């Protein structure tokens, strides 16, 4: 069984007078991700055979949008040749294949050869958003039958790692105060680790104003 195509190929058949609105539809379809629309102004390269490339594009398409206006319906020109080519390809499609969608850009007469297909009304401008959503529903039906995934892949959200609290910096204890050389103190042996010696008979004192003072540690 052949692999399912990755994108739905959509051919945009239109008159050059309707290029602006058709290009708008082209940009919307391109942004879907699962649709590969074909517009001559975007796909044809300099030097390519116009007739041959359009014929190849129509035959390779999964669905064709035929944009209709008073310009395209009433004017003899290239769109009539494209339309004949589209209808020839449609004749070779299995029954009930969703292949041709007429798109009315304004109030106009639907060509007799297209009247068997339900058209889409893509006007006035403030109704285009709703009309586009209806168009997408039809395109998704065709894509589903071809096995094309219509859900654009979502960008994975970044995984946030828990914030690590830095370990507190080790603070060195303040250096021990140097003993005052002018003060003779008795330090018990259990604190000093030295052998026991009897306390001095008298510590150094100072007399101020008839009062005797002794210096004590900080």
């Amino acid at each position: 069984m052949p692999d399912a195509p990755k994108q739905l190929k959509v051919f945009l058949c239109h008159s050059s007078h309707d290029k602006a609105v058709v290009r708008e539809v082209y940009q919307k379809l391109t942004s879907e991700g699962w649709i590969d629309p074909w517009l001559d102004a975007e796909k044809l390269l300099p030097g390519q055979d116009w007739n041959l490339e359009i014929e190849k594009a129509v035959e390779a398409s999964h669905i064709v949008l035929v944009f209709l206006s008073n310009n395209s319906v009433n004017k003899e020109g290239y769109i009539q040749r494209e339309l004949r080519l589209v209808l020839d390809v449609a004749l070779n499609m299995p029954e009930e294949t969703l292949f041709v969608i007429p798109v009315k850009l304004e109030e106009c007469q639907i060509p007799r050869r297209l009247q068997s297909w339900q058209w889409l009304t893509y006007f006035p401008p403030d109704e285009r958003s709703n009309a586009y959503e209806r168009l997408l529903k039809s395109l998704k039906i065709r894509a589903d039958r071809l096995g094309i995934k219509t859900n654009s892949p979502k960008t994975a959200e970044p995984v946030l790692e828990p914030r690590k609290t830095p370990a507190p910096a080790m603070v060195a204890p303040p250096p021990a105060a140097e003993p005052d050389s002018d003060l003779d103190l008795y330090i018990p042996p259990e604190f000093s680790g030295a052998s026991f010696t009897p306390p001095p008979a008298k510590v150094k004192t100072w007399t101020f104003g008839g009062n005797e003072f002794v210096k004590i540690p900080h």
Side-chain angles (χ1 to χ4, degrees), residues 146-171:
L146 293 170
I148 299 173
K149 295 181 179 180
T150 58
N151 294 325
S152 300
K154 297 182 178 180
T155 304
E157 297 182 358
V159 179
L160 299 179
E161 297 184 356
R163 186 176 181 179
K164 297 181 180 181
T165 303
M170 299 299 294
V171 180

Side-chain angles (χ1 to χ4, degrees), residues 56-139:
K56 287 165 55 179
V58 172
E59 293 176 348
S61 295
H62 301 124
I63 199 163
V64 176
L65 306 183
V66 181
F67 292 89
L68 302 172
S69 66
N70 288 310
N71 284 321
S72 62
V73 172
N74 299 325
K75 182 178 179 181
E76 291 292 334
Y78 205 88
I79 188 174
Q80 304 300 334
R81 297 175 59 185
E82 285 187 9
L83 185 55
R84 287 195 294 270
L85 176 60
V86 169
L87 294 175
D88 288 343
V89 175
L91 289 175
N92 296 322
M93 291 287 175
E95 291 186 4
E96 299 185 357
T97 298
L98 205 166
F99 182 69
V100 177
I101 300 180
V103 182
K104 293 176 66 174
L105 301 179
E106 60 185 358
E107 191 57 52
C108 59
Q109 182 66 35
I110 300 293
R112 180 178 54 82
R113 292 172 296 175
L114 293 176
Q115 291 178 359
S116 60
W117 290 289
Q118 177 60 45
W119 63 82
L120 174 72
T121 301
Y122 199 71
F123 69 93
D126 58 355
E127 290 295 329
R128 287 177 180 174
S129 179
N130 292 333
Y132 180 75
E133 292 302 320
R134 294 190 63 207
L135 174 62
L136 279 184
K137 290 181 180 179
S138 293
L139 298 182

Side-chain angles (χ1 to χ4, degrees), residues 34-51:
W34 53 274
I35 302 176
D36 179 20
W38 199 98
L39 180 65
D40 52 10
E42 299 292 337
K43 298 294 187 178
L44 282 174
L45 299 176
Q48 287 186 322
D49 186 312
W50 185 291
N51 295 322

